[in-house]
């Protein structure tokens, strides 16, 4: 059985972060407010009332953080650009001071020999656009494309590959369907126009990035869906969930059509959101690589409440992370092999753009995280041996950071952050990842 020591020559190693989770400096250099700045002020929505206003203060401490990355021997760094630093109201003239931060960051990464891999949208929509309807407003897709082009015009001389969106499934469902993330709307399935408009924004931006000679990726949060039992009702519920979580965000991009969402009560035109030609706009630009964010499989049963299409049930008898997520490394192999079987030649090369786990601070010496990463990288090596073209792995995350509704409680970092003092302390998993990368590089003489 292949394992992490068998990952191929040229395999790229990285870490991933996101702007609102690490940058802080929420009001500096002309940054406009995003939906997250607004949402965190609502009483009771974030554990202990935490906010990302300071976060890891990466905006000021990025040289120290890049030194930590250099110490890992990384090939690449996946970060996100805060739209409202570049365009404080989401549209209009660019904010030179905001773009200058990313200039400094990119130059320092290149100086350290690390390839920057930016994500243009990791959930922090400018509040001014939310005031116009956010992703429920079709116009936001066009504003996103404008923002992508303006940012690429400034940084595209040094960055060759761009990720448009991060996890549109999570943003749609948590942000617009359930209201547990910003912008805090609880529209249930009527949230799905927000999904279509994000994908439309992806397609429009991808065309403009390609026109500039740049490569384009999309990072989806994907999960292998398993029925709780082989009973037909559980199989039907599992297929409905798979369409919502996975296929809704991957079929239009790779196949140029939406999956059947009728089991969710969603009409073919997603409540009138899909206009003629939209699926071409999403599909035609093509995808240079698919970003896969994997954390766990999802087990689905037929609904106990008949007004719902499915129930999510726990996967017992496996370890669970501090977040309560089941740890199933083979789920990653199954997911990747399943993508290959489903999409065949329509599937571009893959990069794992997130994978990792939260571990309680008290769980020294970080063995749970090391085990999680090791077993998932073993599963990844097996998937590659089974024929899936996976080119790289970006673990989530470099630093402990602001974990959305959980505030600072879920610690995903290779590096511990003391949020009182901003002291960074590498954990045992940091040394483990560094040594793994070094061994791979030595094996392939880089
Ligand atoms: O922290 C998040 C990240 O922003 C998106 N993917 C999942 C991570 C862990 O929950």
């Amino acid at each position: 059985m292949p394992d992490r020591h068998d990952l191929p020559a040229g395999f790229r190693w990285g870490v991933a972060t996101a702007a609102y989770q690490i940058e802080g400096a929420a009001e500096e250099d002309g940054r406009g407010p995003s939906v997250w700045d607004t949402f965190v002020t609502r009483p009771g929505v974030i554990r202990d009332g935490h906010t990302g206003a300071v976060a890891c203060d990466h905006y000021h401490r990025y040289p120290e953080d890049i030194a930590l990355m250099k110490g890992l021997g990384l090939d690449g760094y996946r970060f996100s650009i805060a739209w409202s630093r570049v365009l404080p109201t989401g549209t209009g003239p660019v904010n030179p001071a905001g773009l200058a931060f990313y200039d400094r960051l990119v130059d320092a990464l290149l100086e350290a020999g690390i390839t920057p891999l930016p994500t243009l949208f990791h959930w922090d929509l400018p509040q001014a656009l939310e005031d116009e309807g956010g992703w429920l407003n079709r116009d936001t897709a066009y504003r996103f494309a404008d923002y992508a082009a303006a940012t690429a015009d400034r940084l595209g001389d040094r960055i060759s590959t761009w990720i448009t969106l991060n996890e549109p499934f999570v943003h749609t469902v948590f942000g617009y369907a359930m209201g547990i993330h910003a912008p805090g709307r609880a529209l249930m399935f009527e949230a799905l126009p927000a999904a279509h408009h994000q994908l439309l924004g992806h397609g429009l931006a991808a065309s403009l990035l390609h026109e500039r000679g740049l490569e384009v990726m999309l990072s989806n949060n994907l999960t292998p869906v398993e029925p709780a039992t082989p009973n037909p009702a559980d199989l039907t519920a599992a297929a409905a969930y798979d369409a919502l979580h996975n296929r809704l965000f991957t079929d239009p991009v790779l196949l140029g059509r939406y999956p059947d969402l009728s089991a969710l009560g969603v009409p073919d035109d997603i409540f009138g959101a899909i206009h003629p030609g939209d699926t071409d706009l999403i599909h035609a630009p093509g995808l240079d690589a698919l970003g896969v964010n994997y954390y766990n499989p999802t087990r689905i049963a037929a609904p106990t409440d008949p007004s719902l299409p499915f129930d999510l049930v726990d996967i017992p008898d496996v370890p669970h992370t501090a977040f309560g997520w089941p740890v199933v490394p083979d789920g990653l192999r199954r997911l990747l092999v399943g993508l290959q079987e489903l999409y065949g030649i329509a599937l571009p090369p893959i990069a794992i753009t997130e994978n990792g786990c939260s571990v309680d601070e008290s769980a020294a010496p970080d063995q749970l995280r090391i085990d999680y990463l090791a077993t998932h990288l073993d599963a990844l090596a097996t998937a590659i041996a089974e024929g899936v073209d996976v080119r790289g792995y970006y673990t989530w995350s470099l630093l402990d950071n602001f974990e959305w509704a959980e505030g600072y409680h879920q610690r995903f970092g290779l590096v511990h952050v003391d949020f009182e003092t901003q002291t960074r302390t590498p954990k045992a998993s940091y040394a483990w990842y560094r040594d793994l990368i070094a061994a791979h590089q030595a094996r392939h003489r880089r």
Side-chain angles (χ1 to χ4, degrees), residues 118-199:
T119 303
L120 285 158
F121 180 68
H122 197 125
W123 308 348
D124 46 356
L125 190 76
Q127 180 60 40
L129 293 183
E130 177 60 23
D131 295 341
E132 302 293 321
W135 285 110
L136 295 168
N137 178 353
R138 183 179 175 87
D139 194 52
T140 298
Y142 291 86
R143 300 290 74 79
F144 176 69
D146 293 344
Y147 151 62
T151 309
D153 283 342
R154 176 65 172 264
L155 302 173
D157 57 337
R158 285 153 289 159
I159 301 176
S160 59
T161 304
W162 295 69
I163 298 173
T164 52
L165 310 173
N166 178 69
E167 300 183 356
F169 165 78
V170 177
H171 189 51
T172 303
V173 170
F174 285 17
Y176 286 87
M178 297 167 68
I180 54 179
H181 277 186
R185 308 228 198 165
L187 301 170
M188 297 304 287
F189 291 115
E190 291 188 14
L192 292 189
H196 175 63
H197 294 146
Q198 286 175 80
L199 291 168

Side-chain angles (χ1 to χ4, degrees), residues 138 142 196-197 200 269 272-281:
R138 183 179 175 87
Y142 291 86
H196 175 63
H197 294 146
L200 180 62
D269 66 355
I274 303 181
H275 293 192
D278 278 6
T279 43
D280 282 347
L281 290 172

Side-chain angles (χ1 to χ4, degrees), residues 21 33 62 108 127 137 196 292 354 359-360 363 394 419 442-443:
Q21 295 182 269
Y62 72 90
Q127 180 60 40
N137 178 353
H196 175 63
V292 171
E354 287 184 28
V359 177
D360 277 338
Y394 295 76
F419 293 104
R443 207 168 306 117

